[in-house]
Amino acid sequence: MLNIIKAFLATVLALSFCNLGTFAMTPEEYCQIHTDSGAPGSCTTNGNCAVLTTNLGTEEYKLCSDGGCELVSDSSQCNE
């Protein structure tokens, strides 16, 4: 499991260096990276957020904007 997380983080890091001129990321792009990396859990979109559902059933909301996607406390910060 740790190797999967490391691979996911390495993929995100590599993609961020490839896109130095553009830091904007859509929730769809974030979910595509999550899916392509083979990371556990699932990813869906909710407005301008990517929603990661872990294997334990917890949800994490990543608000995507010009600076990329960052973790937020709950879905109230996601525009639908």
Side-chain angles (χ1 to χ4, degrees):
M1 175 111 147
L2 187 58
N3 287 337
I4 292 171
I5 293 170
K6 285 181 182 178
F8 175 72
L9 293 175
T11 302
V12 171
L13 182 63
L15 288 174
S16 68
F17 283 124
C18 292
N19 295 321
L20 286 176
T22 59
F23 290 106
M25 180 180 286
T26 66
E28 292 81 7
E29 291 170 331
Y30 189 92
C31 284
Q32 187 63 50
I33 292 169
H34 176 83
T35 302
D36 291 347
S37 73
S42 63
C43 186
T44 58
T45 60
N46 176 11
N48 58 345
C49 286
V51 182
L52 298 173
T53 304
T54 67
N55 290 342
L56 301 174
T58 59
E59 291 184 336
E60 295 179 354
Y61 296 88
K62 301 278 188 160
L63 178 63
C64 299
S65 62
D66 290 339
C69 298
E70 63 180 330
L71 184 66
V72 293
S73 58
D74 58 47
S75 64
S76 67
Q77 297 176 335
C78 303
N79 296 332
E80 298 197 30

